[in-house]
Amino acid sequence: MKLQSQIPVFNLFGETASFPDVVHCERIWDRARLHDWKIAPHRHRQMMQIFFVEQGAARIRVDGVSSRLEDGDFQFIPAQSVHDLEIVRGSEGLVLSFPVALVAALHNTGLERRLARSFVAQADARVRLVLRQIATTFAGTDTYRDSLLVGLAQTALAASAEIAARSAEAMEPLQERRMLEFDRLLVEHLAAGWGAAEFALAMSITPGHLSRICRGATGQSASRHIEAARMTEAGRLLAFTRLSVAEIGYRLGYADPPYFSRRFREATGETPSQYRSRYSG
C-alpha cells in the first residue's frame, strides 16, 4: 500500500474540489465499476454519507469495524470516519452525500449527536421512499430543486437516525445523551490532551459521574475510553499516513514520544513501527 502524508480526504469518491451541489446522489454501479468495485480507505472532512444497497451486497469497514450489507440495508458514515468498501459486482443502490451543515442548520443537538456515530440498519418504507425521492429530484431540473433536495436530505438523515435510535441497545435516555455528548467532545478535543476531569467539566458533571456513564455504555472507565479513542486515531494515522511516530503522538496530545509509543504498545500489543509495517507491505 502506498502511504500518503495524510489519510486521503475526499468530498466524493476521489474528488478533492469543493462540494459540487447542495447534496450529491449517485448509483452504486456508476461509481463502483470505475474502481473495480473496491474503494480504498479514505475519509470526508465535512461530509456524511448514506450507502444504501437495494440489490446485491457490500462489505464496508468504518474505523476498523466491518459490516456486511445485503438487500435493503444501509450504512450511515459520519464525517471524519475512515472507511473503505468492497462491493459485490453488479450490486445496485445509492450513495448519498450530505454536507454536515445540513444537520447543523436544524439546530437539533440530539440529532447531531446521533449522527456522530456510524450505524447499519435495514431501511424501512419511509427511508426507502425518501432516498428514491432524493435520487429523482437530484436528476431533475425543478425550479426549486435545491430547496427540495435540502428538505429531503434532512428528512433522510432524521429518518435514518430514528431507525438507529430504535435499534440501539436499551439505555436510560439521559445516560445515552451524555455518552453521545462525551463522544462528540472527544472528537473535537482529541489533540488537546484532555483527561476525564476536563471532559467532565465541559459537560458540567463530576469525573466520577462521567466514568459511571461511560462504564454503563462501554464497560470502560472514562479515562480508558479517552485513551482508546486516541489509540484508534493513532492506528489510522500510522496505517494511512507517512507522519512520523513522534508527530502522531504530538497530534494526539502526547508531548513525550517514548511515552506515546509505550502507551500504544500496551494498548495494541505492538510498537507503532510494528503496527505500521503491517500496512506498508
Side-chain angles (χ1 to χ4, degrees), residues 124-142:
D124 62 13
R126 179 171 57 179
V127 168
R128 289 171 182 263
L129 175 61
V130 73
L131 296 186
R132 289 166 182 159
Q133 287 177 325
I134 290 173
T136 299
T137 304
F138 181 82
T141 57
D142 292 329

Side-chain angles (χ1 to χ4, degrees), residues 91-156:
S91 296
E92 257 299 8
L94 297 170
V95 183
L96 301 106
S97 304
F98 312 98
V100 295
L102 283 180
V103 176
L106 293 173
H107 303 292
N108 185 324
T109 55
L111 180 59
E112 287 186 84
R113 291 167 186 163
R114 176 65 63 184
L115 296 178
R117 296 180 179 180
S118 174
F119 55 84
V120 179
Q122 176 76 198
D124 62 13
R126 179 171 57 179
V127 168
R128 289 171 182 263
L129 175 61
V130 73
L131 296 186
R132 289 166 182 159
Q133 287 177 325
I134 290 173
T136 299
T137 304
F138 181 82
T141 57
D142 292 329
T143 302
Y144 301 111
R145 171 184 176 275
D146 289 1
S147 295
L148 288 167
L149 283 173
V150 168
L152 288 168
Q154 290 173 333
T155 299

Side-chain angles (χ1 to χ4, degrees), residues 55-66:
Q55 292 182 323
R59 193 276 306 157
I60 304 181
R61 183 170 55 185
V62 180
D63 288 338
V65 178
S66 292

Side-chain angles (χ1 to χ4, degrees), residues 4-6 9 33 42 56 69-70 82 107 120 134 167 200 253:
Q4 310 296 320
S5 59
Q6 300 287 342
V9 178
R33 65 188 177 87
H42 63 286
L69 277 63
E70 298 182 343
V82 177
H107 303 292
V120 179
I134 290 173
S167 62

Side-chain angles (χ1 to χ4, degrees), residues 46-50 76-79 96-98 100 103 115 157:
Q46 293 294 327
M47 188 180 77
M48 52 189 69
Q49 292 186 307
I50 291 176
F76 172 77
I77 304 171
L96 301 106
S97 304
F98 312 98
V100 295
V103 176
L115 296 178
L157 290 167

